[in-house]
């Protein structure tokens, strides 16, 4: 596995597909215009898959295309997202402990995710972190519902930024289709990298999307 430097795939265009097994630094996919970027875990010298994480401001202002992250992300993930599709698959290792404070330290995204998002779709399989969705005016985010890990509706609502005009609600028909499309596309990438079991797990999460996810949409677009 290797770690790609800053700005990987910035302004990426249709027809260009970038695959990294390892991780990537800040600014991946900035203002992306199309194509695909996939940051998956890489195998270490013991043959174990590790990392798969990205730095700050991933997919900043990304307009089109698809982005997949198998691990976690630093802060400002998908801010100003304006039309691209994103899956971030990092999951909590243990149940949430919000009572300890410093939520960002343990979250899968380190704060301010989806700030000023205007369009696009994202699936988040772990803890979206604090101060999320402030200034969000469009698009759809699908957040994992996972009672055993403490990812409940109330916990997710606590993660919304102060004054964020977004609501967390049950998945609608459009949401079911979105989740299926995005998780199946992500599962294809996992299969290509030799991770068939993980791919199957993604497909089964999608198959029970109504139980496994909430949707987060701007108040103005609430059904």
């Amino acid at each position: 596995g290797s770690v790609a430097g800053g700005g990987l795939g910035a302004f990426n265009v249709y027809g260009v597909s970038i695959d990294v097994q390892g991780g990537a630094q800040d600014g991946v996919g900035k203002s992306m215009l199309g194509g695909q970027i996939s940051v998956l875990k890489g195998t270490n010298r013991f043959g174990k898959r590790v990392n798969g994480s990205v730095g700050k401001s991933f997919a900043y202002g990304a307009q089109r295309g698809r982005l997949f992250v198998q691990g976690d992300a630093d802060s400002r993930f998908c801010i100003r997202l304006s039309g691209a599709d994103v899956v971030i698959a990092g999951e909590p290792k243990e149940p949430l402990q919000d009572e300890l404070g410093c939520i960002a330290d343990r979250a899968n995204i380190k704060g301010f995710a989806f700030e000023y998002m205007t369009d696009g779709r994202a699936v988040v399989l772990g803890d979206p972190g604090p101060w999320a969705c402030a200034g969000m005016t469009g698009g759809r985010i699908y957040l994992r519902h996972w009672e055993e890990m403490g990812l409940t509706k109330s916990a997710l609502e606590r993660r919304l930024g102060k004054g964020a005009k977004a609501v967390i609600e049950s998945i609608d028909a459009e949401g079911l289709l979105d989740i299926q499309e995005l998780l199946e596309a992500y599962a294809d990438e996992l299969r290509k990298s030799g991770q068939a079991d993980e791919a199957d797990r993604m497909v089964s999460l999608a198959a029970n999307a109504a139980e496994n996810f909430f949707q987060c949409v701007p108040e103005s677009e609430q059904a």
Side-chain angles (χ1 to χ4, degrees), residues 183-195:
L183 285 185
E184 283 178 1
Y186 172 55
D188 286 346
E189 290 304 300
L190 290 170
R191 277 199 192 91
K192 277 190 228 161
S193 71
Q195 301 184 69

Side-chain angles (χ1 to χ4, degrees), residues 196-218:
D197 291 353
E198 187 63 1
D200 292 345
R201 190 169 74 87
M202 292 302 123
V203 172
S204 64
L205 276 178
N208 299 310
E211 289 160 37
N212 292 322
F213 293 93
F214 292 111
Q215 62 190 35
C216 177
V217 294

Side-chain angles (χ1 to χ4, degrees), residues 26-108:
D26 298 350
V28 173
K30 178 182 173 173
S31 302
M32 179 159 158
L33 300 166
Q36 183 170 294
I37 299 175
S38 179
V39 180
L40 303 181
K41 294 182 177 181
T43 38
N44 66 12
R45 62 200 178 94
F46 304 111
K48 185 177 187 303
R49 287 201 178 262
V50 293
N51 196 357
S53 295
V54 295
K56 293 180 170 62
S57 302
F58 179 89
Y60 183 113
Q63 297 170 40
R64 288 185 295 284
R66 284 203 166 141
L67 303 105
F68 301 115
V69 177
Q70 191 172 1
D72 296 339
D74 205 333
S75 61
R76 305 200 181 273
F77 181 81
C78 290
I79 64 170
R80 300 193 187 280
L81 187 70
S82 54
D85 286 339
V86 179
V87 175
I88 178 160
E91 294 174 329
K93 306 274 186 286
E94 55 189 12
L96 269 47
Q97 295 177 283
D98 290 0
E99 66 282 359
L100 299 179
C102 295
I103 289 173
D105 291 352
R106 296 177 302 280
N108 299 101

Side-chain angles (χ1 to χ4, degrees), residues 154-167:
S154 60
L156 292 168
E157 283 168 344
R158 280 199 298 278
R159 274 140 179 77
L160 294 177
K162 207 172 166 203
K165 293 183 170 52
V167 287

Side-chain angles (χ1 to χ4, degrees), residues 131-146:
W131 315 296
C133 304
M136 175 187 181
T137 57
R140 285 170 157 251
I141 303 164
Y142 300 105
L143 298 171
R144 182 79 170 276
H145 175 212
W146 194 0

